Amino acid sequence: GRRNQEDSNKQLNVELQNTVENNRELQAKIEKSEQERLRMEAEARDSGEQLREMAEKVFQLLERLKLAELGKTKAMEALQKKEQEMIALKKKNSRLIKESTK
């Protein structure tokens, strides 16, 4: 009976050691997974922040582009107005020249 008891105890001891070792390995894997999860979360936050910054820059550029287009439109309108004034002055000038040569 004593021999059986010792064998049984040895077997239980071996199983306990295996369980403790397995537990240690699992704990290490859990820790590693947790670190990886935290790293990926931080990376996702950084990426999100970069995307927000890029979107902000795009909106700023679009705003500047709109203002530039508006400025260009106003400049073109002013140029057309000056050209019309110039044409009117040329007509007036040629009329005055005609009248003066009569």
Side-chain angles (χ1 to χ4, degrees):
R2 189 161 175 81
R3 179 98 175 118
N4 260 353
Q5 187 65 40
E6 285 177 2
D7 285 346
S8 187
N9 281 351
K10 277 184 187 173
Q11 186 61 37
L12 282 173
N13 223 354
V14 167
E15 287 176 20
L16 179 63
Q17 290 302 318
N18 287 341
T19 304
V20 167
E21 187 55 37
N22 287 342
N23 192 27
R24 224 179 265 132
E25 287 172 8
L26 280 173
Q27 290 276 315
K29 283 180 184 176
I30 289 169
E31 182 64 29
K32 194 174 179 183
S33 292
E34 185 63 12
Q35 287 173 355
E36 182 66 8
R37 186 183 67 78
L38 290 172
R39 187 191 65 75
M40 288 174 77
E41 276 181 8
E43 208 172 279
R45 270 196 307 275
D46 289 348
S47 295
E49 191 57 38
Q50 285 178 339
L51 279 174
R52 273 190 292 281
E53 287 172 11
M54 286 171 72
E56 184 63 33
K57 284 179 186 169
V58 167
F59 285 125
Q60 287 172 0
L61 287 170
L62 282 172
E63 200 55 39
R64 284 169 53 191
L65 183 63
K66 272 192 244 175
L67 290 172
E69 284 293 325
L70 193 63
K72 180 182 156 192
T73 303
K74 286 183 177 177
M76 291 300 288
E77 287 170 358
L79 179 64
Q80 286 172 342
K81 190 176 178 188
K82 289 291 176 197
E83 284 174 345
Q84 287 169 351
E85 288 174 10
M86 197 173 77
I87 290 168
L89 281 174
K90 280 183 180 175
K91 285 180 182 173
K92 184 178 179 183
N93 202 18
S94 62
R95 185 173 49 81
L96 288 173
I97 290 171
K98 278 184 188 171
E99 286 177 6
S100 71
T101 56
K102 281 185 181 176

